[in-house]
Amino acid sequence: MTSMDVSATSMDVSATISVNGRSHEIDCQPGATLLEVLRTSLGLTGTKFGCGIGYCGACTVLVDGAAAHSCCLLAATMQGREITTIEGVSGDGPDPSLGVISEAFLEAGAVQCGYCTPGFVVAIEALLAENPDPSEAEVRRYLTGNICRCSGFAAIVRAALRAGGRR
Amino acid sequence: MSASPSFELERPRSVEEALDLLAAHPDSRLLAGGQSLVPLMTMGLAAPAVVVSLDRCAGVTGIETESDRVTISAMVTTRRIELDPDIGIRIPLLAAAAARVGSPHVRNFATLVGNLCHADPGSDLIPAAVCLDADLEVRSNRGRRQMPVDELIDGPFTTSLRPGEMAMAVRIPVPDRSWRYRYRKLVKRAGDLALACAAVLIRVEDVTIVEARLAVGGPLRRAVRVRGLETELRDTPVIDAVDIVSGGGWIEELADGLLGDHTAPVDYLTVMLPRFLAATVHEAVMQADGTEP
């Protein structure tokens, strides 16, 4: 991520945001995105900065359970919403450090450079919450909001289908 | 990467408070879902002094259903429109266009009213709203007015809204069930803004088109109704419609507004658009009863 200043200034706004079930008091610039606050103020670096304009999905988080590009949301407007990051969707699989979807990514060989992986895992979490056993077409349509720059989409779709079958 | 070096963020709790803020700050922008404005600020293409966010504003999240129209308030997301069972049955053209906006991630926040007011030429919802003869409800702290969405857009990213005005809601007349519909979108990559899009409503009796409403968007300064062609199609046998539309005589109606670029030059657009709209009309005609063809 490029240099940025989300430290306190006189223009700062304060907000209480809830991330992965924990409440945080934050002070940030009015223009600070949710992504910046997650990574810089809260140290939750699993959420990645990719394009910064809501296109690539590396920054995908859940807001009240719905997939969202955290680079396109102002942190101060997230008061009262429940944010879930990749750190919050881990831990429900056989390996306590991984979730069911991350396990499926390993098994399907769906990780190349890995930079897009957290965003895909979070997006698939949202997909499976509303559609526990999606078809391949449904997976592909839903993942419109995530780009794998290594172009490893086929394995990612297989991982999503594998995870879906297990819910 | 910070969205904007400095602006003042206001989060009014009521519409009245929002309108007072807009009146007090001429260089302010309303923030609804943020899916266009936040990226624009990130890229330095918008730098308002004051951002008035509607995220906790009361009275802007409703979908009001009446027998002959549906009113959709400022903060209603495109995802909600896409999935709303009543809209899906009564205004399926709108649901179909809403489902093509960006990705689910974007649609979870992007709003119909915000999309219209952003006035992106590649908008999915402007052609749909124009085709449906939708009206925009506008308020300021001096009063209210209503205008057709067709009169909202002046050109790319510019609207006829005046300083201090807020688009409150879109009112959409419910087309009766005899209208067949189709929304079609051409993109280079899934989730892109439209390279071209078309919204079509068409009424067929026996084998004759009795009424057609055709809106085209994408490579134009603003999405438009193709009214000359609508007139030409009236009382035309269905079997002739595709030839008339793909013949492309109507493209002259739009010629001033065509926006070519290096990936889709005007020469290409003048060949592609007639075929694209003809395919949309064909699909609308073939769809008998509101189901996807």
Side-chain angles (χ1 to χ4, degrees):
Chain A
M1 194 150 27
T2 53
S3 68
M4 63 187 159
D5 183 15
V6 290
S7 58
T9 71
S10 59
M11 288 280 291
D12 275 9
V13 289
S14 301
T16 307
I17 62 169
S18 179
V19 182
N20 300 331
R22 281 188 54 197
S23 187
H24 299 270
E25 303 286 329
I26 56 161
D27 290 305
C28 61
Q29 290 182 347
T33 62
L34 176 60
L35 172 64
E36 291 172 42
V37 165
L38 290 173
R39 289 183 57 87
T40 309
S41 307
L42 304 183
L44 295 168
T45 53
T47 307
K48 303 303 182 197
F49 172 77
C51 67
I53 53 170
Y55 192 70
C56 77
C59 69
T60 304
V61 299
L62 306 182
V63 178
D64 296 334
H69 292 138
S70 60
C71 71
C72 289
L73 298 170
L74 298 183
T77 65
M78 290 292 106
Q79 185 137 10
R81 324 277 306 243
E82 178 58 43
I83 316 293
T84 308
T85 68
I86 183 66
E87 290 86 352
V89 300
S90 305
D92 59 346
D95 176 339
S97 67
L98 292 174
V100 168
I101 300 164
S102 301
E103 290 275 1
F105 265 65
L106 278 182
E107 292 162 10
V111 179
Q112 291 185 45
C113 84
Y115 198 77
C116 70
T117 307
F120 269 103
V121 170
V122 172
I124 293 166
E125 177 79 21
L127 166 64
L128 298 184
E130 63 183 67
N131 183 359
D133 198 7
S135 68
E136 179 173 339
E138 287 167 336
V139 168
R140 287 179 176 276
R141 210 173 305 130
Y142 201 89
L143 295 180
T144 302
N146 296 79
I147 293 173
C148 167
R149 305 281 187 189
C150 305
S151 200
F153 292 102
I156 291 169
V157 170
R158 280 200 295 277
L161 292 169
R162 195 180 261 266
R166 286 180 192 165
R167 288 242 163 166
Chain B
M1 192 205 89
S2 196
S4 179
S6 65
F7 60 77
E8 206 176 302
L9 179 67
E10 297 285 357
R11 300 173 63 219
R13 293 187 181 273
S14 70
V15 170
E16 290 71 24
E17 207 185 315
L19 295 175
D20 286 342
L21 286 162
L22 294 181
H25 302 286
D27 186 14
S28 57
R29 288 287 295 271
L30 276 166
L31 181 75
Q35 301 301 291
S36 300
L37 182 56
V38 175
L40 280 185
M41 292 192 296
T42 300
M43 292 185 282
L45 297 173
V50 178
V51 171
V52 180
S53 170
L54 297 178
D55 70 279
R56 62 175 175 181
C57 181
V60 290
T61 58
I63 298 178
E64 192 189 325
T65 303
E66 292 163 87
S67 59
D68 59 345
R69 71 179 184 201
V70 174
T71 304
I72 298 176
S73 299
M75 284 296 278
V76 173
T77 65
T78 46
R79 185 79 168 150
R80 200 168 140 204
I81 293 167
E82 168 191 0
L83 300 176
D84 187 281
D86 183 63
I87 293 175
I89 291 166
R90 298 174 75 214
I91 318 181
L93 174 64
L94 182 70
R100 299 301 306 274
V101 174
S103 60
H105 313 26
V106 170
R107 297 198 292 279
N108 282 329
F109 285 86
T111 65
L112 166 62
V113 173
N115 182 289
L116 300 180
C117 293
H118 178 53
D120 194 306
S123 160
D124 297 282
L125 296 166
I126 295 170
V130 165
C131 187
L132 287 158
D133 283 333
D135 283 323
L136 197 68
E137 239 174 77
V138 178
R139 262 185 82 177
S140 72
N141 64 4
R142 296 181 309 280
R144 303 167 183 264
R145 64 184 178 119
Q146 197 169 325
M147 68 166 131
V149 172
D150 204 11
E151 291 170 18
L152 169 71
I153 318 295
D154 283 343
F157 309 106
T158 50
T159 69
S160 57
L161 290 174
R162 300 169 195 146
E165 282 188 330
M166 167 174 165
M168 297 296 303
V170 184
R171 289 187 196 177
I172 304 162
V174 175
D176 78 53
R177 296 300 301 270
S178 65
W179 289 92
R180 304 176 187 191
Y181 75 94
R182 187 67 176 155
Y183 178 73
R184 205 164 192 268
K185 179 180 187 181
L186 181 67
V187 288
K188 282 176 273 187
R189 287 167 300 255
D192 278 2
L193 286 155
L195 175 61
C197 56
V200 166
L201 284 169
I202 207 156
R203 229 147 51 79
V204 176
E205 272 170 26
D206 203 5
V207 292
T208 304
I209 292 172
V210 290
E211 209 175 345
R213 295 195 214 153
L214 317 167
V216 180
L220 299 167
R221 291 183 47 76
R222 56 190 290 268
V224 289
R225 286 280 288 274
V226 195
R227 298 196 192 263
L229 184 60
E230 290 180 1
T231 309
E232 200 179 342
L233 288 184
R234 190 167 296 162
D235 302 322
T236 299
V238 159
I239 198 163
D240 296 332
V242 166
D243 283 346
I244 292 171
V245 180
S246 64
W250 57 274
I251 214 86
E252 281 171 28
E253 267 190 69
L254 326 170
D256 295 347
L258 281 182
L259 296 175
D261 65 19
H262 63 290
T263 65
V266 170
D267 288 352
Y268 162 73
L269 296 173
T270 53
V271 175
M272 179 274 284
L273 280 176
R275 296 176 189 190
F276 180 77
L277 184 58
T280 316
V281 168
H282 173 72
E283 288 168 356
V285 168
M286 294 303 285
Q287 169 223 35
D289 57 358
T291 50
E292 289 276 315

